[in-house]
């Protein structure tokens, strides 16, 4: 299974990439994808999505799957495009 990932804003700085193609063995949820990407890009990346103390998801990054809003439990299928867009102003995002 191959998916396209697009990084916007601060996520480009944290990953050093505009995007990437990721090969997965089976369908995953957004949360599973974020855990996989956190393993690849480290704690700074993970803290953008999850509070380090509580582990709660931060609502400050919009997640789009094939141009539709995704949630943590949304399934990502083969050939999907996943876009991560951090809040530019306002919202609940805080730089870590």
């Amino acid at each position: 299974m191959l998916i396209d990932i697009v990084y916007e804003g601060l996520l480009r700085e944290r990953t050093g990439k505009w995007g990437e193609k990721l090969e997965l063995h089976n369908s995953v949820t957004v949360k599973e994808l974020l855990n996989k990407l956190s393993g690849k890009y480290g704690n700074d990346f993970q803290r953008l999505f999850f509070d380090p103390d509580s582990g709660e998801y931060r609502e400050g990054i919009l997640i789009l799957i094939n141009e539709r809003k995704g949630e943590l439990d949304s399934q990502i299928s083969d050939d999907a495009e996943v876009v991560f867009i951090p809040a530019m102003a306002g919202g609940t995002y805080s730089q870590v």
Side-chain angles (χ1 to χ4, degrees), residues 20-92:
E20 63 185 303
K21 292 189 181 298
L22 189 62
E23 181 77 36
L24 300 170
H25 296 290
N26 54 2
S27 178
V28 295
T29 64
V30 169
K31 186 173 184 177
E32 291 167 333
L33 175 62
L34 289 173
N35 287 334
K36 183 171 187 66
L37 293 172
S38 294
K40 183 175 183 176
Y41 294 112
N43 289 336
D44 286 345
F45 182 91
Q46 185 175 31
R47 281 192 291 264
L48 294 173
F49 292 92
F50 299 98
D51 182 273
D53 296 324
S54 69
E56 293 292 316
Y57 176 68
R58 298 179 190 259
E59 296 290 331
I61 298 179
L62 176 63
I63 301 168
L64 300 176
I65 304 169
N66 296 329
E67 300 180 359
R68 294 193 165 170
K69 186 175 185 299
E71 303 294 337
L72 285 182
D73 61 352
S74 298
Q75 285 292 133
I76 301 170
S77 58
D78 192 26
D79 292 324
E81 178 187 63
V82 181
V83 181
F84 296 112
I85 307 171
M88 300 307 263
T92 59

